[in-house]
Structure formats: C-alpha cells, structure tokens
Amino acid sequence: MKSVHLVCSPELIMLLSRSLEHEGYVISGKHSTLHSFIRGFSSKEVDPSSIVIMEGGAGLGTPVKAAEIIGFMTLIRKYLKHTRLIVQLDPALQTDIEFIRTMVNMNIHDLQFTTEFRGDDLLNWIREKKTTRDYYNVLGKKKGLFSFKGSTTAPAPVQPSEEPAPAPARPVDSLTRPQPSASSRTGAAPAGVRPSPSSGSGGGSASPRPRPSARTESPAADEVTLESLEQSIPAEEQHSAPVASTRILGSNVPLVIGICGAGGEEDVGAAAFLLAAGLADLGWKPLVCGDNRPEISSLEQIVFEGEQEDSASTMFEYEGVTFYRRGYSWDISELLASEFTHIILWVDIHQERKGISGLELWWNSQIPILVGNGAMWKYELLKEKLNTLNPFERKRCRLLLENGHQEVLQILKKDFPEIQATLMPAHQDPLYPDKEAVEWVMKLLTVQKKLFRKQTLLWGIAGAVLFVTLLLIGLGMSFVPQSR
C-alpha cells in the first residue's frame, strides 16, 4: 500500500491529502512543523516505510536559512536512514551549490525548488524519483560517453557520435561521472498555483480505504532547540549511529575532503595521512574514512595491540587523528552530524564499493583532491587522465603531485591553466609532518591554527584551579597563630 506522510502547513495538508487520497495514496501521518515531526519519532507516529513530503521551512521563521534546514534534515536522516524524502524549497536555494551538495550527500535527492505547484506536479514528484545525476547541471558534468566500470548507476544508452574518437594507444580510465541519460529530468517543478480541493478528478468518487491514525499538530510555533529535539529521538536509534555526537549540523558543517588517485597506483594514503596529521597539528579534529585499507589496519594493530576481536569501538585515535576501523561501514549523512571539523574520505574511484560509489563521494565532497604522479616520464599519462575532465571539473578539484618537480608543475599549469596543482612536500612519515608540511596543509586547505585546543584549555583550567588552591592554602597557613 502506498503511504505518504505530510509535513507542511495545515492548509496545505488539507489540500494535498484530498489530492493524494484520490490517487490511491494513504496518508499515514500529518505534522505541521519540522519540530513536531521529529518529536513524533519517539512516539512511533512516523512510519519509516512511508514517503515523506515536506515543506523545507515548515514551522521556521522567514527567511529560512540553508544551515537551519540542513540541521533539521540531519536529525531526520538520523532516524529515517532510508526513507524517501521529498523536500519543497525556496527557489533562491537552487543556486546554493554547497547546500545542494550537502543534501545530496545525505541521500536527499528529491529537491523541488518552487513555492507554488499544482496537484499534478506533486504526483510527478512522487513518480519521478531523482538521483545524484539530476544535479550534474548544478555540480558540473562531463560531456561525452563514460566507460567507468565501478559506477553503480546504469550506463547511458550509446548514441551515434558525430566525431568518432580514435582508439587510444592504451586504455585510460575516465575521471568523470556517468553521462546523464537523454531523459534526465529538470531539478525544479513548473511554477503554478497551489493545489485546490478540485485538483483531483473528484475526491468523493474514491472508495474509502483503511489507513493508520493520522495526527495533525497545531500550527503553534515551537520554541525548542535542535539539541532538545535530538534527545527526543529514540535511544536505540541514537546508539546505532557509528558516530556519537551532541553537536548538530548547522553553520559549523564539517568540511568534507575527498581524496583519490588519478591512476590508482599513487600513494593516496600518504597524502591523506599528511593532510590529517597537519590538521591535527593545527588544533583541528580530523576523521579519516577509508574502505578496507591495510594502512589503517597497521595503525589499528598498534592502538589495539592486535586485539582485532574488539567489536565495541568503530574508530580509534592515533596522534590526534581519528580513523574508522577497517571493516566498519560508515555513512556520510551521519558523519556530517559528528563533532569532527574535517572529514577526509579516502576513496578509490576505479573500484566498486558498497553504497554510494567512490566517484560520487569524491565529486560531492567540498574539496575533491586528486593525487597524481608528478614524474616527468609519466606526464603524458597524467595529461590523458586530466583530459577526461572538462574545464569546470579541473577548476574545482585540486591536484597534488607526488614525486614531482617544478618543471613538471610549470608544464602542467601551461597545459591546464585552470587547475590548482601543487607539489607534495617531502616527508619521512606523513603522520609526523614537519613545520614546512604543516604550513603546506594550511595553504592548501586555507585553514588557520586554532589558538586554543580543547585539551590544552582543560589543562590550563586545571592548572589555574590548582594554583588558586595552593595560594589559598598558603594564605590560610600564614594566618594560623603559632602554638606555644
């Protein structure tokens, strides 16, 4: 049975309910604000198997801020991990690329940037399920066919090429995303008017259907914080999350850094560890996520002293950097709600992975970093790889050259002036960067050194308390009269 949960204003609930019920949908629940919808998790008022149609600013003040919406969507995704969410948003957010990227990273693809719509538009939203490919016109896409093996999306149908490209001397894997099919849909629904009671073809003719009890909340404004709403989520759902955190995603969204190799043979781990160690040295709290990486297993053995049977912890910390343990799956939407300041996704775009493909994770990150071999004798191969990217993609990603030299960098910037390329600093151990390497990380990621680290601040407070205590004891002893 097709069921829909509505999260919107009471007036719109009344209009949408009639249209949907006439089309055979069952309204499993109704909430007038995002606050009440989240509170409904604890009382089991929300059916995770239902499709959720919501106004992105339901119950929020105007103008609605993108960070505020993301905060609520993070909490909703924390409970409804696999529920399909259809979100109606203000058209002004359609140009906010980072907002769209964050929503897509949380597996929220059905975004409708319109404030007015007809009943038929609503049904089309339900029928036409979107994917990441529908946002390539915003995030950038590669023109031409794609022959990447590891993509989880179906390949586009082959169309006759106007200029058939000659077969290359050796196969070069594309670094771009799959080409959307010719029938890909536009991101925004056509503007119109809100559905009226007559938007269906006669609501009274539909046969009565049994449905769960639907509770409609009052439109009163909810003066509660996101922290209090998170506490209302069932405890078993919170404990199932791999990242225990009390910080809500809002204005301080963790910076997601995707890093991969251009050809697959580069030492991407050294670059990932160098970035993470540099951030930790600057006082930030980075998290490194890698799929089945033996390098992380080596660190894991050092930390846990070979106790691989330990199943209690999903991550460990080494030299100020937190790592996800090998073999544990992680979800990007949950990581975005963590207390970490930087999330480094160490992915392989040339191999398949469970869930979202490595290529999509890399492209949807805020800072996609490509590691290439900077040796002169491998420059032609690197050039062929970069030619599979269009100028927009080359401008957005950052290229790190290992084993590179200044002359290679100069030639690269001449051939590809739009790309941000830099030489990786020499390092004996990437987990112990020197001063020059830390400064290189600062310049690459445009971060500054934190003035006060949490641990240093705690030690300072403890020292101050101890000093005051000793001072008071000393003063007290000086006033005690000497016994005869």
Side-chain angles (χ1 to χ4, degrees):
M1 184 178 293
K2 300 175 293 184
S3 60
V4 176
H5 194 112
L6 298 177
V7 184
C8 42
S9 63
E11 297 81 5
L12 193 56
I13 285 177
M14 181 179 64
L15 297 177
L16 296 184
S17 299
R18 186 168 182 176
S19 299
L20 291 171
E21 288 175 346
H22 180 263
E23 294 295 331
Y25 289 92
V26 173
I27 307 302
S28 63
K30 304 173 185 178
H31 288 87
S32 58
T33 65
L34 295 175
H35 301 82
S36 60
F37 177 62
I38 294 175
R39 284 199 300 266
F41 296 162
S42 59
S43 57
K44 304 298 182 182
E45 299 174 20
V46 180
D47 181 8
S49 63
S50 299
I51 299 174
V52 179
I53 300 178
M54 65 177 69
E55 286 184 289
L60 305 180
T62 55
V64 181
K65 298 179 181 179
E68 194 173 5
I69 296 177
I70 291 174
F72 280 97
M73 294 305 160
T74 303
L75 280 183
I76 293 172
R77 253 302 172 240
K78 195 171 185 179
Y79 182 83
L80 305 176
K81 298 182 184 298
H82 307 291
T83 301
R84 182 183 175 192
L85 306 178
I86 301 177
V87 188
Q88 178 226 343
L89 298 163
D90 191 291
L93 294 174
Q94 194 168 7
T95 57
D96 192 336
I97 296 179
E98 292 308 320
F99 170 78
I100 296 176
R101 194 182 312 282
T102 304
M103 297 288 279
V104 171
N105 279 335
M106 289 191 288
N107 200 25
I108 303 176
H109 297 92
D110 293 286
L111 307 177
Q112 303 297 338
F113 298 95
T114 180
T115 54
E116 298 179 344
F117 49 87
R118 299 183 179 92
D120 291 340
D121 295 331
L122 182 68
L123 297 177
N124 290 334
W125 294 358
I126 298 176
R127 296 190 187 108
E128 299 180 359
K129 189 174 183 180
K130 292 185 178 182
T131 65
T132 308
R133 297 173 64 179
D134 292 277
Y135 300 97
Y136 289 160
N137 61 326
V138 179
L139 305 179
K141 63 182 179 180
K142 166 67 178 171
K143 297 180 179 180
L145 297 177
F146 178 70
S147 58
F148 174 56
K149 251 187 211 179
S151 175
T152 56
T153 56
V158 178
Q159 301 292 339
S161 177
E162 298 179 0
E163 298 180 1
R170 57 181 178 274
V172 179
D173 294 329
S174 175
L175 299 176
T176 57
R177 297 156 310 290
Q179 169 70 10
S181 60
S183 61
S184 53
R185 300 169 298 277
T186 58
V193 296
R194 288 193 179 277
S196 62
S198 60
S199 58
S201 56
S205 61
S207 58
R209 299 172 181 269
R211 59 179 179 177
S213 59
R215 177 182 175 186
T216 306
E217 296 291 333
S218 63
D222 297 279
E223 298 296 333
V224 293
T225 62
L226 288 177
E227 287 81 358
S228 62
L229 285 175
E230 186 181 28
Q231 295 175 358
S232 67
I233 297 178
E236 60 271 14
E237 295 295 336
Q238 289 184 343
H239 293 160
S240 64
V243 179
S245 170
T246 57
R247 189 172 70 87
I248 303 302
L249 183 65
S251 58
N252 298 322
V253 179
L255 185 66
V256 181
I257 303 170
I259 185 168
C260 65
E265 75 282 353
E266 296 84 3
D267 190 358
V268 183
F273 290 171
L274 186 62
L275 292 177
L279 289 170
D281 189 85
L282 293 170
W284 302 96
K285 189 171 183 180
L287 170 68
V288 177
C289 301
D291 292 329
N292 198 27
R293 302 295 179 182
E295 295 91 338
I296 294 181
S297 292
S298 300
L299 298 177
E300 183 180 350
Q301 292 175 2
I302 297 175
V303 173
F304 291 100
E305 298 180 356
E307 296 180 5
Q308 297 295 329
E309 66 278 1
D310 179 12
S311 58
S313 56
T314 60
M315 54 184 64
F316 64 92
E317 185 175 334
Y318 184 81
E319 298 297 337
V321 181
T322 305
F323 296 86
Y324 245 100
R325 296 181 66 183
R326 187 180 185 184
Y328 286 87
S329 60
W330 42 270
D331 185 83
I332 184 63
S333 61
E334 292 169 342
L335 297 182
L336 289 173
S338 67
E339 75 274 15
F340 298 100
T341 59
H342 298 77
I343 299 172
I344 300 176
L345 304 179
W346 176 10
V347 296
D348 192 341
I349 62 176
H350 304 287
Q351 292 183 1
E352 294 187 13
R353 66 181 301 277
K354 294 181 180 179
I356 304 177
S357 70
L359 189 66
E360 295 295 346
L361 281 174
W362 177 71
W363 180 251
N364 290 336
S365 59
Q366 276 78 10
I367 303 181
I369 295 179
L370 197 64
V371 180
N373 195 314
M376 181 64 77
W377 64 281
K378 283 198 171 184
Y379 178 73
E380 288 301 322
L381 180 59
L382 177 62
K383 187 176 178 180
E384 290 180 2
K385 298 279 187 180
L386 296 177
N387 277 326
T388 64
L389 301 172
N390 60 34
F392 174 84
E393 294 165 336
R394 289 195 293 265
K395 183 178 181 180
R396 183 169 180 271
C397 76
R398 306 185 187 185
L399 177 64
L400 307 184
L401 296 178
E402 61 173 3
N403 304 323
H405 303 282
Q406 285 296 331
E407 55 270 20
V408 178
L409 188 62
Q410 292 175 2
I411 298 175
L412 182 66
K413 290 186 176 181
K414 181 180 179 181
D415 294 338
F416 304 99
E418 69 279 0
I419 200 167
Q420 301 180 57
T422 181
L423 302 178
M424 286 186 60
H427 55 272
Q428 296 295 330
D429 189 337
L431 287 172
Y432 299 93
D434 54 18
K435 182 179 179 181
E436 288 73 16
V438 173
E439 292 178 353
W440 174 80
V441 173
M442 291 177 61
K443 183 178 179 181
L444 178 69
L445 303 178
T446 58
V447 296
Q448 300 295 328
K449 187 178 181 67
K450 295 189 71 173
L451 297 179
F452 299 102
R453 301 189 189 185
K454 185 176 181 180
Q455 185 176 5
T456 305
L457 187 61
L458 292 176
W459 278 110
I461 295 174
V465 171
L466 180 61
F467 174 76
V468 173
T469 303
L470 294 177
L471 183 62
L472 293 176
I473 293 174
L475 291 175
M477 292 179 64
S478 64
F479 287 106
V480 174
Q482 296 182 353
S483 58
R484 294 181 179 179

